[in-house]
Amino acid sequence: MLPALREHDPASRSQLLVCRAGDLLIGIVPLVSSMRYYRYPLPNLQNWTHDNAFCGGPLVRTGQEDRFWAALLDWADKHAGRALFLHLSHLAEDGPLCAALLTSASSQGRPVAIVHREERAFLRSDLSPDDYLAASMSGKKRKELRRQHRRLAEEGELTFERKIDDRGLSRWTEDFLTLEKAGWKGKNGSALACDPATESLFRSTLEGASNAGKLERLTMLMNGCPIAMLANFLSPPGAFSYKTAYDERYARFSPGVLLQRENLKVLGNPEIRWSDSCASANHPMIDRIWREKRSMVRVSAAIGGKARQALCRQILRREAPTEMEGN
C-alpha cells in the first residue's frame, strides 16, 4: 500500500484511515472523495485504488471485521461531506470482509448493495498438480502441451527456477521489466517499465514482499536467459499471482502456459489453500487451466443522515434492485 500511495497519489488526495481499539490495530484503508461515480456526477466516498491494484479490500485483522466496519461507517457518517454514499471496489465476495460489511450495514437499517460483480480465474483444489491438470485440460490439449515443451527444449538448454528468497532479486526484477516491455505491453505503452511510477511500484513491492518472506519467483530460462517469468505473493492461507511476462519470440511454444503448469505445484504447498489469478475476467490463458472462479464485487453503502440515506436508497434501487439490503 505504501509504495502505491507514494507513486500513484503524490498529491495526497487520499486519506489513510487507521482503526484501533486501544493499542490493538484493527484495520487500515485509504479513502478518497470523488465528485463522479464512474460516468455519473454523483459525489461519493470510495476506497482508493490504482490500475495495478487487483484487490481493494481494507487490511483488517482477522476476527475484527464487524468491529472495523462499524467504526468505518460511523466515521463516514460524520465525515461524509458532499458524498452521497460509500463505494468500495475490488472486494472478494467469498471473503469474511464483504460478508461483514453487508451484515453490519444491513443490521443498522443502512441501505447497502452489491452493484457490480465479475469473476476471475481462481485455484482451489485438493487434487495433486498432475491430477488437476488432467481434470482441467483434455488429453489432446495436454498432449499438445507436452509436444510444445519438447519442441521448446530443442531450441537450447531449457531450465526452470523457483525461488522464495532474495537471491538475485534485483537482477530478476530488471529481467522481468525488460521482458515485459519487449512484448505487446511495451508496444501499447502499458508495460510497467513504460511509466516511472509503475516501475518504481513494482520494484518496491517485490522488495518489500521478499523482505517479508512472501515473494515467490518462477522463471523458465532458455540458455540461461528468461523466456517466461511469474511473481507470486504467498500470504497463507492464500496466494496471489501478481505479474507474469513471456518472450513473444517463443510464443508458438506457449511458454506462459508451460510456466503455469509449473505454477500448479502451489497445490502441494500445505500452507496455501487457494490462489487468486488477479487476472481479468475471461482471460484467454489462465482460464484454460484454472477451473475455479472468484467473484470480485463493488459494494455501495449509504452514509450520513436520514435524508442522504434515503437518497442513496433510491440510487441503489435503480442500480441493483435485486441486491439491495437494509430497507
Side-chain angles (χ1 to χ4, degrees):
M1 181 188 294
L2 293 178
L5 288 168
R6 182 175 62 248
E7 299 300 336
H8 293 297
D9 188 26
S12 297
R13 290 181 57 245
S14 63
Q15 49 188 329
L16 192 62
L17 269 68
V18 179
C19 180
R20 296 182 182 273
D23 293 332
L24 181 67
L25 176 61
I26 290 179
I28 303 174
V29 60
L31 294 178
V32 63
S33 296
S34 176
M35 295 304 295
R36 297 197 64 83
Y37 177 65
Y38 302 100
R39 57 193 179 95
Y40 300 102
L42 298 173
N44 66 95
L45 188 64
Q46 58 187 247
N47 58 334
W48 179 86
T49 62
H50 56 93
D51 289 342
N52 285 286
F54 308 111
C55 296
L59 303 178
V60 179
R61 186 179 296 274
T62 300
Q64 298 291 328
E65 294 88 359
D66 291 336
R67 203 174 190 182
F68 171 80
W69 288 122
L72 177 59
L73 291 171
D74 179 66
W75 180 92
D77 286 341
K78 298 172 182 175
H79 299 83
R82 299 178 63 183
L84 300 177
F85 51 89
L86 173 67
H87 181 66
L88 299 157
S89 62
H90 296 85
L91 298 184
E93 187 175 8
D94 64 344
L97 204 57
C98 183
L101 171 58
L102 296 174
T103 299
S104 181
S106 183
S107 67
Q108 298 174 16
R110 185 188 300 268
V112 60
I114 293 174
V115 296
H116 179 81
R117 179 185 285 106
E118 67 178 28
E119 293 183 332
R120 66 192 188 202
F122 192 64
L123 179 65
R124 178 165 48 199
S125 177
D126 294 328
L127 295 175
S128 69
D130 288 341
D131 288 344
Y132 188 90
L133 188 64
S136 298
M137 303 181 73
S138 67
K140 182 179 180 180
K141 290 182 178 179
R142 296 198 310 278
K143 182 179 179 181
E144 173 63 13
L145 202 59
R146 291 192 296 270
R147 186 193 69 81
Q148 288 176 315
H149 186 273
R150 290 195 303 270
R151 293 292 183 264
L152 181 59
E154 293 171 359
E155 296 290 308
E157 183 184 5
L158 184 64
T159 56
F160 171 77
E161 293 180 349
R162 181 188 304 267
K163 293 184 178 180
I164 57 173
D165 54 29
D166 62 355
R167 289 179 300 163
L169 176 60
S170 179
R171 173 61 185 272
W172 192 93
T173 304
E174 198 69 42
D175 287 343
F176 185 99
L177 291 168
T178 300
L179 186 62
E180 186 191 49
K181 191 174 183 180
W184 66 269
K185 288 186 178 180
K187 293 181 178 65
N188 68 17
S190 64
L192 293 163
C194 290
D195 185 336
T198 54
E199 179 178 343
S200 178
L201 170 64
F202 185 71
R203 292 180 185 277
S204 298
T205 302
L206 261 59
E207 182 180 359
S210 180
N211 291 339
K214 295 181 179 296
L215 177 64
E216 179 184 55
R217 293 174 284 141
L218 278 62
T219 313
M220 183 172 288
L221 304 104
M222 174 62 67
N223 298 326
C225 296
I227 61 171
M229 307 177 77
L230 172 66
N232 289 327
F233 295 144
L234 304 181
S235 185
F240 301 85
S241 290
Y242 182 48
K243 289 290 181 179
T244 188
Y246 69 93
D247 190 329
E248 294 181 6
R249 293 175 299 176
Y250 296 92
R252 66 187 183 279
F253 303 112
S254 301
V257 178
L258 292 173
L259 190 65
Q260 284 296 338
R261 186 176 65 174
E262 296 290 341
N263 191 35
L264 284 176
K265 291 180 180 177
V266 71
L267 290 171
N269 186 332
E271 295 185 343
I272 302 298
R273 295 202 300 267
W274 52 262
S275 188
D276 187 338
S277 69
C278 298
S280 58
N282 303 312
H283 193 277
M285 186 271 285
I286 197 62
D287 279 23
R288 294 165 54 192
I289 307 173
W290 292 13
R291 295 177 299 148
E292 293 75 45
K293 298 292 183 181
R294 179 172 234 193
S295 176
M296 304 299 293
V297 297
R298 303 173 193 163
V299 179
S300 292
I303 57 176
K306 291 183 178 180
R308 193 180 313 220
Q309 292 199 20
L311 178 57
C312 179
R313 180 178 287 110
Q314 298 304 314
I315 295 173
L316 293 182
R317 280 177 174 164
R318 288 178 176 272
E319 188 171 18
T322 62
E323 298 275 4
M324 186 139 162
E325 298 184 41
N327 290 312

